[in-house]
Each structure stands twice: as structure tokens, then as C-alpha cells.
Amino acid sequence: MSANLIPILWDATLQTLYMVAVSAILGTLGGLPLGVFLACSQRGELLSAPWVNKLLGLVVNATRSVPFIILVVAIIPFTRAIVGTSIGTNAAIVPLTLAAIPFIARLVENAIREVDAGLIEAARAMGATPLQIIRKVLIPEALPGITLGLTLAVVSLIGYSAMVGAVGGQGLGDLGIRYGYQRFMPEVMAAVVVILIVMVQLVQSIGEWIAARVDRRAPRNRGA
């Protein structure tokens, strides 16, 4: 691979990291409270609002059912209205975030539903309010599962960020298409694949380490 391509490869890597980081943060800010609400708003639960729960569930399921590449194209007018353009890294963040929010919401919902119901009943018996139960019982107990869910979401966003390269999203996906595919440079394609694999492995390892650290149930070997 030519030395001239190394700076281009570096810039594409930074663009991908930027897209994934911003969309992961925005997706978490939207998906975390949505997931908590979905987990606690069915009939008879802490924030009982069954009709709202069903409506939000339908919206979440509908959004998740749309293939990502179709979502990118379908919301181009919305993307252009938000950031003023439909190409580039900032434009790519819009569909990445919209894809991340319902995905993270369902992961958070599942993690919270795995919390022992006995803990909730015990907190209720002690006079805790629903918000106190959510903040001091549900989220802390579900934190390992939430962490692993967010890790899975970030890994998925790395893959999605490569897809947006097909529609002018820049980053490693765009580099792989323009140089690796269109210009018949397999070494560039190989470099892109290797970098994406390294990213995924790092994210997965860091996420699993954090999940183990915040898991109250897992014994920690402090003396080793």
C-alpha cells in the first residue's frame, strides 16, 4: 500500500470513530430512558401506562424492522433538515442515532426485566417510590446487562458506520468502497477490514471488563 494512502486511512479511521462515538452517546441518551420506561410501564408495573407502552413498543419495533441502508436513504430529507447536508460524517450521525435509539431501548428493557422481582417488592415494602426503585434498585442491578447491551450496540454501530460509506457517509466504509472496490486496491480493503476487526475486539473487551467491574453478584479477586 502506498505511503500516500496512510494519512487517508488514518483520517477515515478518525471519521469512523467520531461517527460511532457521537451516535452511541446520543443513542444512549435517547434509548436508556426509553428502555427503562418500556420495562416499567406495562399494566400493574411501577410506571403503569399500558397504552403508552404499546404505542412506544410499536414505534420501536417499526424502526428496528427497517433495514439500516433503507433507513439512511428514506430519511435523507430529515437528515438534510437537521445538519444541512445529506453527505459527510455529521449527516451519517443522524441515521446512526435513529437506528441506535430503539436498539438500545430494547436491550435496556431486557436487562431491567431480568432483575429479580423480589428486590422490587422489598423496596416497595420499605416505602420506596417508583422513581427511587428505578434509580436505586433496577438500574444498579441491571447495570452489567445494560453495559453488555451498550457494548453490543456500539459494535453494531461500527458495522453500520461502514454501510453509510455507500451513500457518502465517509469513514472506513467509504474508503473501502472508493479505493478497495472501485479502484481495485485489495490492500486498502484488507486494511479497512483489519481496522474494523480491531475496533470491534477493543470495544467488546472493554465492555466485558466494565460489565464485570459493575456486577454486584460477581466475586472479585482482589488479592491475586
Side-chain angles (χ1 to χ4, degrees):
M1 184 168 60
S2 171
N4 295 331
L5 288 175
I6 294 178
I8 298 176
L9 189 62
W10 174 249
D11 289 341
T13 302
L14 293 180
Q15 290 168 353
T16 294
L17 290 174
Y18 168 70
M19 288 188 291
V20 171
V22 174
S23 58
I25 292 171
L26 295 177
T28 301
L29 292 176
L32 181 59
L34 178 58
V36 171
F37 182 79
L38 288 173
C40 300
S41 59
Q42 289 188 354
R43 189 179 304 276
E45 295 186 347
L46 293 172
L47 304 174
S48 181
W51 288 106
V52 179
N53 181 283
K54 289 181 180 180
L55 179 61
L56 287 177
L58 288 173
V59 173
V60 167
N61 291 337
T63 306
R64 290 185 60 198
S65 66
V66 179
F68 179 70
I69 194 66
I70 296 178
L71 176 67
V72 173
V73 176
I75 66 167
I76 283 178
F78 177 72
T79 300
R80 190 178 291 116
I82 294 294
V83 297
T85 180
S86 60
I87 60 175
T89 52
N90 289 329
I93 289 172
V94 177
L96 286 172
T97 301
L98 290 181
I101 288 175
F103 185 51
I104 291 175
R106 284 304 188 194
L107 293 172
V108 171
E109 179 187 7
N110 292 337
I112 289 179
R113 289 192 181 281
E114 292 178 358
V115 175
D116 187 358
L119 295 174
I120 301 174
E121 294 304 321
R124 274 177 164 169
M126 295 174 64
T129 65
L131 290 180
Q132 288 175 329
I133 294 173
I134 291 171
R135 185 166 56 90
K136 296 184 178 181
V137 178
L138 288 180
I139 292 180
E141 289 295 326
L143 196 54
I146 292 174
T147 302
L148 292 176
L150 293 177
T151 301
L152 177 59
V154 174
V155 169
S156 297
L157 285 174
I158 293 174
Y160 289 162
S161 71
M163 290 186 199
V164 295
V167 288
Q170 297 185 330
L172 290 169
D174 176 61
L175 183 66
I177 292 172
R178 287 192 296 113
Y179 286 84
Y181 177 70
Q182 294 178 349
R183 301 188 185 184
F184 303 101
M185 301 175 70
E187 67 276 12
V188 175
M189 184 69 77
V192 167
V193 171
V194 169
I195 293 173
L196 290 173
I197 291 174
V198 170
M199 283 185 183
V200 169
Q201 292 298 324
L202 284 174
V203 169
Q204 190 68 46
S205 298
I206 292 172
E208 290 175 354
W209 180 80
I210 294 175
R213 298 293 297 177
V214 300
D215 192 348
R216 297 180 175 185
R217 301 164 296 178
R220 297 178 185 174
N221 190 0
R222 300 179 183 273

